[in-house]
């Protein structure tokens, strides 16, 4: 649409199913690159993707004609297929259902970028669950802790 200008910064966070520590250092950077490329393929602009063994953070500019859920559906489905096609885990790899999505303004971009870039150091001090709940509370998202993540059977 002519004369439509925007810059919508979104951070999404999603976990490996059952929060298992399956994302190995040997192939983690490749996975992050795959996810970043998948985000770009939707028409969004990837800024950074990074994570640790049990979850991933994505930071990108959202294309205004797309829903965040459509971007995440594509990135999660195709990246899990990539992991499984390359037989990177001993069992079938799956992402946990759902994701967290949080918006930022221009003045926060550098801080969010650096936070995501330094995930490994950050998670030496704080667990993923603690981090995720902190995001939900900081952004005043209503949630029921009992239903945050699917537990193993």
């Amino acid at each position: 649409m002519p004369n439509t200008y925007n810059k919508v910064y979104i951070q999404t966070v999603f976990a490996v199913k059952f929060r298992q520590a399956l994302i190995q250092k040997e192939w983690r950077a490749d996975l992050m690159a795959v996810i970043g490329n998948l985000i770009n393929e939707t028409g969004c602009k990837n800024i950074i993707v990074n994570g640790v063994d049990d979850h991933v953070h994505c930071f990108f500019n959202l294309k205004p004609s797309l829903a965040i859920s459509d971007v995440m559906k594509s990135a999660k489905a195709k990246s899990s297929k990539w992991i499984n096609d390359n037989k990177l885990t001993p069992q079938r790899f799956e992402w946990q259902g759902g994701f967290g999505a949080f918006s930022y303004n221009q003045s926060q971009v550098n801080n969010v970028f650096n936070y995501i870039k330094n995930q490994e150091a950050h998670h030496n001090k704080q667990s993923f669950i603690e981090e995720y709940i902190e995001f939900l509370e900081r952004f005043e998202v209503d949630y029921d802790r009992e239903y945050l993540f699917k537990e193993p059977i």
Side-chain angles (χ1 to χ4, degrees):
M1 182 179 300
N3 298 316
T4 301
Y5 307 101
N6 67 80
K7 188 72 71 148
V8 180
Y9 295 102
I10 300 294
Q11 177 184 191
T12 58
V13 184
F14 53 93
V16 174
K17 191 169 185 178
F18 306 130
R19 297 176 319 282
Q20 292 180 294
L22 297 178
I23 303 171
Q24 302 300 311
K25 275 189 175 187
E26 297 78 33
W27 49 270
R28 186 178 301 156
D30 291 336
L31 173 62
M32 301 307 151
V34 165
I35 295 171
N37 287 332
L38 292 168
I39 289 169
N40 287 339
E41 284 178 6
T42 68
C44 295
K45 184 179 182 323
N46 178 55
I47 299 169
I48 188 171
V49 176
N50 197 19
V52 291
D53 55 4
D54 64 350
H55 73 281
V56 172
H57 293 253
C58 305
F59 190 42
F60 57 94
N61 293 127
L62 181 66
K63 183 178 177 180
S65 60
L66 294 176
I68 299 168
S69 58
D70 292 336
V71 176
M72 288 297 94
K73 181 180 179 181
S74 174
K76 290 173 67 179
K78 292 178 179 178
S79 63
S80 62
K81 182 180 183 332
W82 178 84
I83 292 168
N84 289 320
D85 286 352
N86 286 287
K87 299 177 180 10
L88 298 173
T89 56
Q91 71 269 17
R92 185 173 183 277
F93 182 89
E94 293 181 64
W95 295 112
Q96 184 82 38
F99 58 91
F102 310 97
S103 62
Y104 295 89
N105 65 46
Q106 182 68 43
S107 68
Q108 298 168 300
V109 169
N110 286 338
N111 288 340
V112 175
F113 179 91
N114 287 325
Y115 178 81
I116 293 172
K117 179 181 174 186
N118 294 307
Q119 277 295 290
E120 196 165 323
H122 172 74
H123 285 290
N124 286 332
K125 301 174 194 152
Q126 185 180 41
S127 74
F128 169 59
I129 296 292
E130 292 167 336
E131 173 190 54
Y132 198 73
I133 289 172
E134 186 177 292
F135 273 114
L136 295 172
E137 291 176 353
R138 184 177 342 134
F139 284 86
E140 299 179 6
V141 176
D142 292 331
Y143 70 95
D144 184 337
R145 189 177 177 119
E146 182 180 349
Y147 300 107
L148 277 182
F149 296 103
K150 186 174 183 178
E151 296 297 328
I153 296 173

